[in-house]
Amino acid sequence: MLQIDAMSRTPVYEQIIGQMERFVVSGVLSPGERVPSVRNLSVTLGINPNTIQKAYTELGARGVIYTVPGKGYFVSEGAKGAICENGRAKISDFRALVTELAEYGLEKETLVAEIGKIYNEKGGNNAI
Amino acid sequence: MLQIDAMSRTPVYEQIIGQMERFVVSGVLSPGERVPSVRNLSVTLGINPNTIQKAYTELGARGVIYTVPGKGYFVSEGAKGAICENGRAKISDFRALVTELAEYGLEKETLVAEIGKIYNEKGGNNAI
Amino acid sequence: MLQIDAMSRTPVYEQIIGQMERFVVSGVLSPGERVPSVRNLSVTLGINPNTIQKAYTELGARGVIYTVPGKGYFVSEGAKGAICENGRAKISDFRALVTELAEYGLEKETLVAEIGKIYNEKGGNNAI
Amino acid sequence: MLQIDAMSRTPVYEQIIGQMERFVVSGVLSPGERVPSVRNLSVTLGINPNTIQKAYTELGARGVIYTVPGKGYFVSEGAKGAICENGRAKISDFRALVTELAEYGLEKETLVAEIGKIYNEKGGNNAI
DNA sequence: GTGGTCTAGACCACA
DNA sequence: GTGGTCTAGACCACA
């Protein structure tokens, strides 16, 4: 289910969070559904249980999953909304990056074109 | 000249690199010009010389400045070009971030509008 | 494993880089294999961790090893190739030195003979 | 007369030594001939007198020039021989570099060919 | 435990 | 004065 890139500079626990959130947003995981147990995922991915635990704790804090002691972790009702809220918070990262790229002399048109490409791949045929 | 934010999560030496590059790109620093000495900058910013040294070494590796041992560091001839090269490499970061934001449900128009705002601040009156 | 000569004029961190590269080229270290941790090597060699760190960072920049934070450093897939690339860059050093020796009046035959000796030691029975 | 490359990583005083020695070996400077004064050369090259002094002192120690207090520095009788002696001492550098290049996988033939090129440029038509 | 960053301070070669 | 290297030791995020 999850795929971890050990060579990536992104911490493993952040990779887990990101992929889990994507599964929720895309509907692969639905509210109320149970997610793999810490132990299970630890074995499956060959990753330290502490790392899985950290990811799940963070997902819990973000309102994406909740824990039922003795039963496991489940996707929250408002998971999708909570994730998108967090996504909006990343706009500030976006601004910072664009500002930096602008300083490096990249044209606005280049960036807009990149965005167009990405959204077309995903969404179908929305023209710019 | 340089301004360091000690609270930032961005390492101090990266802040120095970034600001120095911005000065070169914007023309505040010109090729052949001498940059502050390691010790001088260390005192001015209240930062350990080793940290400055690390930033300067990295800037040297990037072809932005070069060292004349015993004399100091100077802006390279091809500094501007080298920096912009590195900037272009950041487009992949941009793609990754946009992809993530798209997954979080942000509209393309929102991002394009943000870009427009940033470029208008900088560049004057280019309409979207 | 590594041997450091504290008396040498070659900086310790360069000695580490050189020996590590030799181990990779000679096959003592293979891609994917883990290299000693910064701390471990620091203790083994009786050298400050910062110096090891500097060597590893440089080896990383050269594409010889890569870091998985929290796990350690590992030999890169393309390590051997990357090292040989760098080696070829040293031909210019070779040219400069030969030119200098020529100016000092050394015979071409002397130099060729020296090369023959070195390659015979290494490679077996290639006659001059 | 002398040409200094400020950007070079070779220390200025070593550049002075090297060029002075080349002038002697090639006959541009003859035994008994006076070399530029420290002060003169300092002004001509735009270099700190201390640096010139250091180079001359080293050249004196090597037996290439000698000083006549109040008169200046002069090329020694045995200058040419002394320089070539020193040159031979550099064969160990040559050996070390060749050894390193061999470890990086360079072919013997490549190095021999490089030597051939350099000696042909200098000496005329000596075939390999 | 493992790497990443930083401070404090020393010694050296070179200009 | 200027950069280059190194030691000693601390704190942090991450596994």
Side-chain angles (χ1 to χ4, degrees):
Chain A
M1 176 175 171
L2 292 175
Q3 292 202 340
I4 299 305
D5 176 7
M7 288 200 48
S8 167
R9 321 193 70 171
T10 306
V12 173
Y13 83 97
E14 284 188 13
Q15 293 184 44
I16 295 172
I17 292 173
Q19 295 191 32
M20 211 66 109
E21 290 189 337
R22 256 165 252 146
F23 282 137
V24 171
V25 171
S26 63
V28 174
L29 284 172
S30 304
E33 197 169 341
R34 187 164 175 273
V35 300
S37 75
V38 171
R39 209 169 302 171
N40 183 328
L41 205 53
S42 164
V43 174
T44 309
L45 300 178
I47 283 179
N48 192 305
N50 290 334
T51 305
I52 312 289
Q53 187 60 59
K54 182 163 188 176
Y56 277 18
T57 301
E58 174 62 22
L59 282 166
R62 292 191 189 179
V64 177
I65 60 179
Y66 63 93
T67 173
V68 179
K71 287 238 172 174
Y73 283 91
F74 300 83
V75 178
S76 307
E77 277 315 309
K80 220 161 174 172
I83 293 168
C84 292
E85 288 280 309
N86 290 328
R88 282 180 197 285
K90 288 216 167 185
I91 287 193
S92 65
D93 292 354
F94 178 78
R95 281 201 203 96
L97 184 54
V98 171
T99 303
E100 198 182 347
L101 291 171
E103 283 166 344
Y104 283 149
L106 270 89
E107 302 291 335
K108 184 174 73 171
E109 287 68 28
T110 309
L111 301 185
V112 173
E114 289 293 337
I115 292 179
K117 274 190 245 168
I118 291 165
Y119 273 84
N120 280 336
E121 283 170 16
K122 303 256 155 193
N125 60 354
N126 2 5
I128 297 182
Chain B
M1 177 175 173
L2 294 175
Q3 293 202 339
I4 298 305
D5 175 9
M7 303 291 300
S8 166
R9 307 189 58 175
T10 306
V12 172
Y13 80 95
E14 284 187 13
Q15 293 183 45
I16 295 171
I17 291 173
Q19 294 192 33
M20 210 66 110
E21 289 189 336
R22 256 164 252 148
F23 281 137
V24 170
V25 171
S26 65
V28 174
L29 284 172
S30 304
E33 197 169 340
R34 187 160 175 274
V35 300
S37 80
V38 173
R39 277 175 176 76
N40 183 328
L41 200 55
S42 163
V43 173
T44 308
L45 300 178
I47 285 176
N48 190 286
N50 284 333
T51 303
I52 312 287
Q53 183 73 263
K54 184 168 187 175
Y56 277 17
T57 300
E58 174 62 21
L59 282 166
R62 292 192 190 179
V64 177
I65 59 180
Y66 63 89
T67 171
V68 181
K71 286 232 168 176
Y73 279 93
F74 301 82
V75 178
S76 306
E77 275 317 306
K80 223 163 176 171
I83 293 169
C84 292
E85 290 273 314
N86 291 331
R88 280 179 198 286
K90 290 214 167 185
I91 287 193
S92 64
D93 292 355
F94 179 78
R95 282 200 202 97
L97 185 54
V98 170
T99 303
E100 197 183 347
L101 290 172
E103 284 165 346
Y104 283 148
L106 269 88
E107 302 292 334
K108 184 174 73 171
E109 287 68 26
T110 309
L111 301 184
V112 173
E114 288 293 339
I115 291 178
K117 273 190 246 169
I118 290 165
Y119 274 84
N120 279 337
E121 284 170 17
K122 301 257 153 195
N125 60 353
N126 3 6
I128 298 182
Chain C
M1 177 173 172
L2 294 176
Q3 292 202 341
I4 298 305
D5 175 8
M7 302 293 299
S8 166
R9 306 188 59 173
T10 307
V12 172
Y13 81 94
E14 283 188 12
Q15 293 183 44
I16 295 171
I17 290 173
Q19 294 192 34
M20 211 65 110
E21 289 189 337
R22 256 165 251 146
F23 282 136
V24 171
V25 170
S26 65
V28 174
L29 284 172
S30 304
E33 198 169 339
R34 187 161 175 275
V35 300
S37 80
V38 172
R39 277 175 176 75
N40 184 328
L41 200 55
S42 163
V43 173
T44 309
L45 300 179
I47 285 176
N48 189 286
N50 285 333
T51 304
I52 312 288
Q53 184 75 261
K54 183 168 186 176
Y56 278 16
T57 300
E58 174 62 22
L59 283 166
R62 291 190 191 182
V64 177
I65 60 180
Y66 64 89
T67 172
V68 181
K71 285 230 167 178
Y73 279 93
F74 302 81
V75 178
S76 306
E77 276 315 307
K80 222 164 175 169
I83 294 169
C84 292
E85 289 274 312
N86 293 330
R88 276 174 204 290
K90 290 214 166 183
I91 287 192
S92 64
D93 292 353
F94 178 78
R95 281 202 203 95
L97 184 55
V98 171
T99 303
E100 196 183 348
L101 290 171
E103 284 166 346
Y104 282 149
L106 269 88
E107 302 292 334
K108 184 173 74 173
E109 287 69 25
T110 311
L111 301 184
V112 173
E114 289 293 338
I115 291 178
K117 273 190 247 168
I118 291 166
Y119 273 84
N120 281 336
E121 283 171 17
K122 302 256 152 192
N125 60 354
N126 2 6
I128 298 182
Chain D
M1 175 176 174
L2 293 175
Q3 292 203 338
I4 298 303
D5 176 7
M7 288 200 49
S8 166
R9 320 191 71 170
T10 306
V12 172
Y13 83 96
E14 284 187 14
Q15 292 184 44
I16 295 172
I17 291 174
Q19 294 191 33
M20 210 67 110
E21 289 189 338
R22 254 164 254 146
F23 282 136
V24 170
V25 171
S26 65
V28 173
L29 284 172
S30 304
E33 196 169 342
R34 187 162 175 274
V35 299
S37 75
V38 171
R39 206 169 303 172
N40 183 329
L41 204 53
S42 163
V43 173
T44 309
L45 300 178
I47 283 178
N48 191 306
N50 289 335
T51 305
I52 313 287
Q53 186 59 57
K54 181 164 188 176
Y56 276 19
T57 301
E58 174 63 21
L59 282 166
R62 293 190 188 180
V64 177
I65 60 179
Y66 63 93
T67 173
V68 180
K71 289 239 172 173
Y73 284 90
F74 300 83
V75 177
S76 307
E77 278 313 311
K80 219 162 176 171
I83 292 168
C84 293
E85 289 279 309
N86 290 328
R88 285 185 192 282
K90 289 216 167 185
I91 287 193
S92 65
D93 292 354
F94 179 78
R95 282 200 203 97
L97 185 54
V98 170
T99 303
E100 197 183 349
L101 290 173
E103 284 167 345
Y104 283 149
L106 270 89
E107 304 290 336
K108 184 175 74 171
E109 288 69 27
T110 309
L111 301 185
V112 173
E114 288 293 337
I115 292 179
K117 273 190 248 169
I118 291 166
Y119 273 83
N120 280 337
E121 283 170 17
K122 303 257 153 193
N125 60 353
N126 3 6
I128 299 183

